[in-house]
Amino acid sequence: MAYLLRRMGFHNMLIQQTHYELKKELAMNKNLEYLWRQNWDIFVHMMPFYSYDIPHTCGPEPAICCQFDFARMRSFSYESCPWSIEEAEAQFWNYEKLFDYINSNPHLKAKAKFGTLEDYFSTLRDEAEIINYTRSGELVSRPFFKAVDRVLEQTIRASEILGSFVLGYCQRLQCAKLPISFTHKLTTARRNLALFQHHDGVTGTAKDHVVVDYGTRMHTSLQDLQLFMSRAVEVLLGDIHDRSDPTLLLHFELVQERSKYDVQPVYKTLNPHEGKAHSVVLFNPLEQTRDEIVMAVVSNPDVSVLNSNGSCLKSQISPEWQYVSGEKVSKGQHRLYWRASVPALGLETYYVATGYEDCEKATPAVIKVFTTSGQFLCPEPYDCSKLEGKTVEMKNSYYTLSFDASHGLLQRVTHHKDGKHSEIDEEIGMYSSHGSGAYLFKPTGEAHPIVEKGGYFILSEGPLVQEAHSLPKMQCHRSPFSHSTRIYSCKNSIQDMLIEKEYHIELVGHDFNDKELIVRFKTDIDNQGVFYSDLNGFQMSRRQMYDKIPLQGNYYPMPSLAFLQDSLGNRFSVHSKQSLGVAL
C-alpha cells in the first residue's frame, strides 16, 4: 500500500491499526513519526493510542478523553440525535468553544486550531526541518479464502482477455451480444474481488458471517466468469451461434468446479466413449508460450492423447487417491498426464480417446507402498510393490529426492548437475496458543512436530510425473491430513526445475482451536539469520531474525514468495499458492 501511494505522488501516510505493544514502544521513544523504509521511502505518522473512538484516541487517559466525546453526552447520544443536529456539528461547536477559550487566555501558553493532515505534516516538517525525507526524484489466517481470492483474480484476467477476443471476432456476426451482455458480470466480479481486499477480508480477520458473504460473492463471480469463458471458447473455435442465450447447452465445461463457496474444487471426470475422442481446450492468458505437463481425470485407464493435428502424444496415468477411515485407497479414477504447448494469449485443443489403435495408450505409473498396517489394495491396472528400507528416492533429470518413508517427509535433494546435496528435513508442526484472536498470534512456545512413524507412504513413478503421497500418522488429531510431492520430466522445461508440494487439511471442527499448523524446512544454508519475503509481488524485502523479541514478532507476511541464501549464492526458495506467514 505504501508503495502504491508513493507512486501516486503521496509523500505522507497516517496509520492506526498496529499492535498496542509496538505503539507503546514507539511512543516511549518518541518514534511515532518515521520513514517507512523499504524499496521506497514515505513519511509516516502512527496514531499513538488504541482504537477508533474518542476515549481511546484523544490522549493517554480514556476517562478524561471520554469527557470530550460530545456524541456520548446527554442530548447528543448515538440513539437519539436531535433533528438536524449531527454528531460532526456537535464536535465542531464544542471544540470551537474550547479553542476560543485557549487562544484568549495567554497564561495557558498554547494556541489551538482546526487543521488537516496536510497542515499537520507541513508543520511537522517545518519545525523539524526535515528536508530529504524521501529519495530525490523517486516517483486468523483463513488460507482457503486467500486461495479463492487468487483464483478469482486470475480468472478475471483470463475472462478480460477472452472478452476482448470475442468482441473483436463478433463485430460483424450475431454473437456480438455475448461479450456486451457479460460486461456487467465482469464489473461485479472486479468489485467482489476488490471488496475482499478489505483489511479484515483477505487477511482472514473478519467475523464468520462476513466471511460467508465474502465467500458467496466470490463464488458467484467465479461461476459467472467460468460460464462466460466456456461460451467464449465455443465462439472462438468456430461456433457462432448466439451464446448470450442462457438456455443453450454448453459444449465446454470447466475442468474444475466448486459446489459451494467453502469447498475445494473437484475435477470433472472425462469419460470418452469407445472409439470416440473427448476434446480438452487449454487457454493461455500469459504473454509467453507455456510448455508444460497438464492433467485431467479420466474414468478409463485405456486412453490415448492426440494433439489438434491428430498426432499421438506420450501420456501417463496414475491413480486418483481418496481417504477412507484413515486409509489411502484408489477412487477407481485416474490422473492422465501429457505434455502440452499453448501459444501466448492462445487456445490449443487436445483429444483424449479410447479405442484408438494407431496411438499408444497412456503408460501406467509404477506404485511402491510403505505402510505399517499391512493392508493395501493395489488398483488396476497398476503394478504395486512394497517399499523396502527407511529411505526412499525418486528422481528426474534435475534432482533426486530422498524421503523418510516411515514419516513420509522429504529429507534431502541431490542436484545432478554437480552432485551436491541440499538438506531439507521437512517437518510438520503445531503451535499451541492462549488468548490469540483475530489480530493476535500468541503461541505458548515453539511449534512441536506432530507426525509419528506409521501411516501410508505411496510412491508413483512414470515417464512424465513422479509423485510421493503421504498420509501420515498424526498425534492426537483426527482431521484428515495428507501431502504430496511431485517432480516432472518435461524435457528442457522450467517445470522440471521445480519441486511441487501440496498439503491438504480440513480446518473444521474443534481440532484446531487455539492451534496453528505449520510446515518447517531445516536447510543447511548458512543465512546468518536473514531471509527475504515479497511485498505483494512488487519486490523482496530483507527480514532479520531477532532473538530479543517474541516468537510472533519474527513472523512476516509471505504473499507469494520467500527465500534464504548464503554468501556462496546457494538459495532455498518457497513459492506459495496463497498468502501465508513465514519465519526462520
Side-chain angles (χ1 to χ4, degrees):
M1 193 66 206
Y3 171 85
L4 293 175
L5 290 175
R6 190 67 188 88
R7 294 299 300 268
M8 291 166 66
F10 287 85
H11 298 281
N12 308 303
M13 183 178 183
L14 182 139
I15 60 178
Q16 160 70 317
Q17 281 188 275
T18 314
H19 195 287
Y20 60 88
E21 289 286 356
L22 178 59
K23 288 194 176 194
K24 183 164 57 176
E25 176 71 19
L26 292 175
M28 289 175 61
N29 292 284
K30 299 182 179 180
N31 285 328
L32 287 165
E33 287 88 18
Y34 55 87
L35 295 180
W36 189 315
R37 189 182 65 198
Q38 304 285 345
N39 295 337
W40 63 88
D41 287 335
I42 190 166
F43 189 72
V44 176
H45 172 76
M46 183 184 293
M47 299 294 283
F49 304 115
Y50 171 63
S51 185
Y52 300 101
D53 59 358
I54 290 175
H56 294 96
T57 54
C58 94
E61 181 50 63
I64 295 175
C65 285
C66 195
Q67 299 175 44
F68 295 89
D69 190 351
F70 305 112
R72 295 174 185 263
M73 292 184 172
R74 190 172 301 167
S75 81
F76 287 109
S77 64
Y78 290 115
E79 293 80 11
S80 56
C81 288
W83 181 254
S84 79
I85 303 296
E86 297 196 9
E87 179 190 344
E89 293 173 315
Q91 303 286 5
F92 179 82
W93 291 337
N94 282 283
Y95 277 109
E96 189 174 46
K97 293 175 182 177
L98 287 172
F99 293 170
D100 289 343
Y101 177 81
I102 293 171
N103 295 334
S104 61
N105 286 274
H107 69 277
L108 295 176
K109 297 182 179 180
K111 292 290 183 181
K113 68 176 182 178
F114 292 104
T116 64
L117 284 175
E118 183 177 359
D119 294 333
Y120 169 78
F121 281 115
S122 296
T123 303
L124 187 69
R125 287 198 300 272
D126 292 340
E127 292 185 357
E129 296 183 353
I130 298 176
I131 300 174
N132 295 319
Y133 69 98
T134 57
R135 296 174 186 171
S136 177
E138 186 189 10
L139 302 176
V140 167
S141 63
R142 290 188 172 111
F144 172 83
F145 290 98
K146 289 177 169 64
V148 175
D149 167 83
R150 194 163 291 180
V151 171
L152 178 57
E153 184 178 29
Q154 65 192 35
T155 305
I156 288 175
R157 174 61 177 155
S159 299
E160 289 173 338
I161 295 171
L162 280 175
S164 64
F165 288 167
V166 173
L167 188 61
Y169 181 80
C170 291
Q171 282 181 344
R172 297 186 179 183
L173 301 172
Q174 58 182 346
C175 61
K177 292 181 181 179
L178 174 59
I180 296 173
S181 64
F182 162 72
T183 53
H184 73 281
K185 291 186 176 180
L186 181 59
T187 299
T188 300
R190 292 193 191 107
R191 289 174 176 171
N192 288 337
L193 178 66
L195 183 66
F196 191 61
Q197 306 314 303
H198 184 272
H199 64 253
D200 282 322
V202 70
T203 58
T205 55
K207 300 286 187 182
D208 286 346
H209 70 279
V210 180
V211 174
V212 171
D213 182 62
Y214 285 139
T216 303
R217 289 172 179 269
M218 290 195 291
H219 178 64
T220 300
S221 289
L222 274 174
Q223 288 182 312
D224 289 340
L225 296 179
Q226 290 169 349
L227 175 63
F228 168 76
M229 291 174 69
S230 298
R231 291 184 166 163
V233 167
E234 293 177 13
V235 171
L236 294 172
L237 292 181
D239 186 348
I240 60 171
H241 294 293
D242 187 354
R243 285 293 166 187
S244 62
D245 183 357
T247 63
L248 293 174
L249 294 176
L250 290 172
H251 292 174
F252 293 99
E253 296 178 303
L254 268 293
V255 71
Q256 287 183 306
E257 63 177 359
R258 299 174 190 262
S259 59
K260 291 176 59 182
Y261 74 91
D262 58 351
V263 299
Q264 289 281 10
V266 177
Y267 279 92
K268 290 190 175 180
T269 303
L270 303 184
N271 188 20
H273 298 293
E274 182 70 23
K276 293 188 177 180
H278 199 300
S279 58
V280 177
V281 179
L282 304 176
F283 172 54
N284 176 15
L286 302 183
E287 294 84 3
Q288 60 270 350
T289 298
R290 295 184 65 174
D291 189 1
E292 59 193 65
I293 292 170
V294 298
M295 188 273 289
V297 176
V298 294
S299 59
N300 186 349
D302 298 325
V303 293
S304 304
V305 178
L306 300 85
N307 63 17
S308 57
N309 296 323
S311 300
C312 304
L313 301 179
K314 187 176 184 179
S315 59
Q316 170 190 330
I317 54 167
S318 299
E320 174 81 342
W321 303 105
Q322 66 178 353
Y323 302 96
V324 179
S325 302
E327 295 185 2
K328 198 160 192 172
V329 298
S330 172
K331 295 175 63 175
Q333 298 169 333
H334 312 270
R335 291 194 168 197
L336 173 65
Y337 298 96
W338 71 93
R339 181 175 179 175
S341 181
V342 186
L345 301 174
L347 297 166
E348 189 68 42
T349 303
Y350 292 88
Y351 299 94
V352 177
T354 57
Y356 202 85
E357 300 298 335
D358 294 338
C359 282
E360 181 182 356
K361 293 180 181 179
T363 303
V366 176
I367 309 300
K368 300 175 183 178
V369 182
F370 172 90
T371 177
T372 55
S373 68
Q375 297 179 352
F376 181 79
L377 296 176
C378 184
E380 295 182 355
Y382 304 97
D383 290 328
C384 300
S385 61
K386 185 177 180 181
L387 281 170
E388 302 292 345
K390 296 181 179 180
T391 302
V392 178
E393 294 183 345
M394 71 177 185
K395 64 181 68 176
N396 67 1
S397 59
Y398 279 87
Y399 307 114
T400 294
L401 276 57
S402 301
F403 295 87
D404 171 10
S406 62
H407 290 83
L409 299 171
L410 179 60
Q411 289 183 313
R412 184 183 302 109
V413 174
T414 302
H415 305 264
H416 293 170
K417 183 177 181 180
D418 54 16
K420 290 184 178 180
H421 302 287
S422 295
E423 298 298 325
I424 300 296
D425 283 340
E426 179 184 19
E427 180 183 284
I428 297 169
M430 187 85 76
Y431 284 109
S432 295
S433 61
H434 178 71
S436 294
Y439 295 100
L440 298 178
F441 168 43
K442 298 174 66 176
T444 54
E446 278 288 348
H448 298 288
I450 58 173
V451 174
E452 298 178 337
K453 287 186 177 181
Y456 286 85
F457 182 77
I458 305 173
L459 195 65
S460 60
E461 298 176 301
L464 299 178
V465 181
Q466 297 78 46
E467 184 167 15
H469 305 266
S470 177
L471 179 63
K473 183 179 180 182
M474 309 284 283
Q475 293 179 3
C476 305
H477 290 283
R478 297 181 301 275
S479 295
F481 178 83
S482 64
H483 59 103
S484 303
T485 308
R486 295 184 202 93
I487 52 177
Y488 298 88
S489 299
C490 197
K491 294 183 180 179
N492 301 321
S493 168
I494 194 171
Q495 194 177 24
D496 289 10
M497 301 172 66
L498 62 89
I499 299 170
E500 193 173 274
K501 298 286 300 184
E502 190 173 316
Y503 299 89
H504 289 270
I505 180 69
E506 292 187 16
L507 297 173
V508 295
H510 300 287
D511 274 5
F512 294 96
N513 286 0
D514 295 322
K515 301 287 193 301
E516 298 288 345
L517 187 68
I518 68 162
V519 175
R520 177 177 286 152
F521 299 101
K522 300 178 181 178
T523 76
D524 53 359
I525 294 177
D526 183 13
N527 59 308
Q528 301 292 316
V530 173
F531 71 102
Y532 297 81
S533 64
D534 74 301
L535 295 166
N536 285 337
F538 280 110
Q539 57 275 119
M540 305 300 296
S541 277
R542 184 182 185 273
R543 311 298 193 186
Q544 175 76 52
M545 169 83 173
Y546 293 104
D547 294 329
K548 64 183 179 180
I549 64 176
L551 185 153
Q552 57 268 33
N554 283 305
Y555 266 88
Y556 293 88
M558 185 184 78
S560 58
L561 169 64
F563 69 83
L564 51 84
Q565 64 185 18
D566 61 20
S567 59
L568 300 176
N570 299 309
R571 177 180 289 187
F572 177 75
S573 302
V574 176
H575 297 255
S576 63
K577 184 180 180 181
Q578 67 273 331
S579 300
L580 299 169
V582 63
L584 283 180

